[in-house]
Structures are given as C-alpha cells and as structure tokens.
Amino acid sequence: MTRAMTKDLIVFKAIFKQVFIQTRRYIFETVSGVITLLLFFLGLFYGAKALVGGSGANLGSTLEALVVGYMVWALAIFMYSSVSQ
C-alpha cells in the first residue's frame, strides 16, 4: 500500500466511526428519517399506480422514471441536509 492510500483509509475509518456514533446517538432522528422517506416513496409509488389505473399496464417506463426521480430527489435532500449540518 502506498502512503496516500494508507492516509485515505485512516480518514475513511475515522469518518465511518463518526457517522456510526452519530447515528447511534440520534437513533430516533435516524429511524424517523428512514420512515419518512419510506412513506414518501410509497405515497409516490401507489399514487402513480392510482393515477395510471388499477391494471398498471401502462406503468412500465413510468415506474422506472418514478424510481430514478425519487432516488435523485433523495440524494439531493441528503446533500443539502449535510451541508446545513
């Protein structure tokens, strides 16, 4: 291993440990955030199915777009919240 890789590994371990400690310390916030994102995703998913209709035959390409759009939205929320912290 090179020296730079060793330093990167040490930094990675330290950041991972910090995030793990913060997640454990603020467990209610972590669990409520995961549940909120899950409920929002389920609302989007079943809301889109309700708009398309009961059969869901036309949901093929829209479902993939919905999932990708949700993931981009979730990543943007995570990035903005980490900047504000």
Side-chain angles (χ1 to χ4, degrees):
M1 276 183 138
T2 65
R3 235 182 150 103
M5 288 176 60
T6 306
K7 287 181 182 180
D8 290 342
L9 187 60
I10 291 171
V11 171
F12 177 77
K13 285 181 181 179
I15 291 174
F16 185 79
K17 184 178 178 181
Q18 178 189 13
V19 169
F20 180 74
I21 290 171
Q22 284 181 345
T23 301
R24 200 176 59 198
R25 184 176 293 166
Y26 302 109
I27 191 72
F28 180 73
E29 183 179 337
T30 303
V31 170
S32 64
V34 168
I35 289 173
T36 301
L37 286 174
L38 177 68
L39 290 175
F40 188 76
F41 176 75
L42 290 175
L44 277 174
F45 182 74
Y46 288 114
K49 270 190 161 179
L51 286 175
V52 170
S55 67
N58 299 331
L59 198 58
S61 63
T62 6
L63 180 61
E64 288 85 9
L66 178 71
V67 171
V68 169
Y70 175 77
M71 294 305 291
V72 169
W73 176 82
L75 287 173
I77 292 295
F78 287 140
M79 286 186 288
Y80 285 130
S81 68
S82 68
V83 167
S84 68
Q85 289 178 0

